[in-house]
Amino acid sequence: MPDSIKRGVAYTAGAQIVAVGLQFANTIVLTRSLPVADYGLYNLFFSASVTSATVADIGINAAITRFVAESEAQEQPERTFSVINSGLLIHALIFLLLTPLVWFLGPQFSATWFDSNLPVYTLFLVSVPITVWTGDLIGGLFGLRELKYVAIRMLLQAALLLLFNFLFIQWWSREIAVAAAVYVATNLLLLGWLLAYFGRAVKAGRLLANRRTLLRPLIVFALPLAAVYAMQVVISYAPLLVTKAIGGEASAVNHQIAVVSLAMMLGNAVNSVLSTAVKS
């Protein structure tokens, strides 16, 4: 294994461990600032966002990593650009196709999982494409073997969430909608940072902008992985979502979800460290 990859693995594994510590601190801020029922609803918001983003990804993230790495090995910067651009385009088309379904079933979704809280439900809808497109660009970073920037992104996300939640939730407004807005705003900032990175890569000549698309190869490679990734995340977060769907809007249900989510957090953190190291 080349030394650059070894350093990259060390960067990402170390960053993930530090990020887990920051996430624990963030959890302390949220649990001390939000009422228990609201903290449970926040975890539903987060779980629904992650689950929906993983399902909508349909494995394209992994396909981007694979084809970008292949293009880099063959020294084809124009193909590298086409792979990343095609992944973003596929997901844009998916979101466009899902818009009528979201519009039709929106009231039911909002009542089932968000206690008919329109601001939180709206922020959930915004968070999903941001998360998916961010995943596309992170997949590109893995393919380019720019693991240092993957590590920086992890630390930035965890640190900004902690900082913003401390400022806006602990000291300003102890409301669930503000906590959800902080999550979305943080991810949006990181998406902008990643877009800026790839913009600089184009200017530097590492990527060559062109209009060629590779939709079919990406989809063919991704689809067999889609069910596996979707099943993994659904199993992880299904207990929270199913509990809420059965329990309805009762405050006690949100209390139960708050307790369960805290118990799940440690297991998910360990799994995240291991999966990041393996992917690196």
Side-chain angles (χ1 to χ4, degrees), residues 22 25-27 29-30 33-34 42 155-175 177-190:
L22 293 172
N26 184 53
T27 299
V29 170
L30 289 174
S33 303
L34 295 174
Y42 176 84
L155 292 176
L156 278 176
Q157 182 181 38
L160 288 175
L161 270 176
L162 176 59
L163 175 62
F164 292 158
N165 279 327
F166 183 78
L167 293 175
F168 293 105
I169 306 301
Q170 179 83 17
W171 293 104
W172 182 50
S173 175
R174 303 189 175 200
E175 295 183 5
V178 177
V182 165
Y183 176 80
V184 173
T186 301
N187 287 340
L188 185 59
L189 285 173
L190 292 171

Side-chain angles (χ1 to χ4, degrees), residues 185-204:
T186 301
N187 287 340
L188 185 59
L189 285 173
L190 292 171
L191 176 60
W193 178 74
L194 288 168
L195 288 171
Y197 168 83
F198 282 99
R200 291 193 300 271
V202 171
K203 290 182 179 179

Side-chain angles (χ1 to χ4, degrees), residues 1-272:
M1 181 184 293
D3 289 341
S4 60
I5 297 182
K6 290 180 180 178
R7 287 195 299 270
V9 172
Y11 286 145
T12 52
Q16 186 68 70
I17 292 171
V18 175
V20 167
L22 293 172
Q23 289 167 9
F24 274 113
N26 184 53
T27 299
I28 293 172
V29 170
L30 289 174
T31 53
R32 289 175 61 89
S33 303
L34 295 174
V36 177
D38 281 356
Y39 180 71
L41 185 58
Y42 176 84
N43 278 280
L44 281 166
F45 161 80
F46 175 79
S47 300
S49 297
V50 173
T51 302
S52 300
T54 303
V55 173
D57 175 56
I58 66 167
I60 294 297
N61 182 299
I64 290 175
T65 298
R66 188 264 189 186
F67 283 100
V68 166
E70 182 181 83
S71 300
E72 279 288 288
Q74 298 172 357
E75 298 183 352
Q76 296 179 325
E78 71 285 348
R79 187 170 183 265
T80 301
F81 180 91
S82 297
V83 169
I84 297 172
N85 192 46
S86 297
L88 296 170
L89 178 59
I90 289 170
H91 284 137
L93 293 173
I94 289 174
F95 296 132
L96 184 62
L97 292 173
L98 288 177
T99 298
L101 179 65
V102 172
W103 179 267
F104 179 72
L105 297 178
Q108 183 62 44
F109 286 159
S110 178
T112 301
W113 284 293
F114 300 98
D115 293 346
S116 299
N117 189 318
L118 183 58
V120 174
Y121 177 67
T122 302
L123 288 164
F124 156 73
L125 294 179
V126 174
S127 74
V128 174
I130 291 174
T131 302
V132 171
W133 284 323
T134 298
D136 290 340
L137 298 180
I138 293 172
L141 288 179
F142 275 108
L144 292 170
R145 297 181 180 176
E146 292 288 2
L147 303 185
K148 176 176 68 175
Y149 292 99
V150 174
I152 291 172
R153 197 279 313 177
M154 290 181 194
L155 292 176
L156 278 176
Q157 182 181 38
L160 288 175
L161 270 176
L162 176 59
L163 175 62
F164 292 158
N165 279 327
F166 183 78
L167 293 175
F168 293 105
I169 306 301
Q170 179 83 17
W171 293 104
W172 182 50
S173 175
R174 303 189 175 200
E175 295 183 5
I176 173 64
V178 177
V182 165
Y183 176 80
V184 173
T186 301
N187 287 340
L188 185 59
L189 285 173
L190 292 171
L191 176 60
W193 178 74
L194 288 168
L195 288 171
Y197 168 83
F198 282 99
R200 291 193 300 271
V202 171
K203 290 182 179 179
R206 187 168 186 184
L207 305 178
L208 293 181
N210 62 89
R211 296 184 178 181
R212 180 189 175 195
T213 59
L214 297 168
L215 304 183
R216 187 174 182 276
L218 284 178
I219 293 173
V220 170
F221 180 86
L223 284 180
L225 302 174
V228 176
Y229 289 143
M231 184 178 299
Q232 181 183 10
V233 76
V234 167
I235 290 174
S236 297
Y237 294 105
L240 300 183
L241 299 175
V242 172
T243 299
K244 182 62 176 176
I246 295 174
E249 297 186 18
S251 178
V253 175
N254 288 354
H255 283 246
Q256 294 172 2
I257 290 170
V259 174
V260 172
S261 61
L262 286 172
M264 292 172 56
M265 185 178 62
L266 181 59
N268 289 337
V270 173
N271 178 66
S272 180

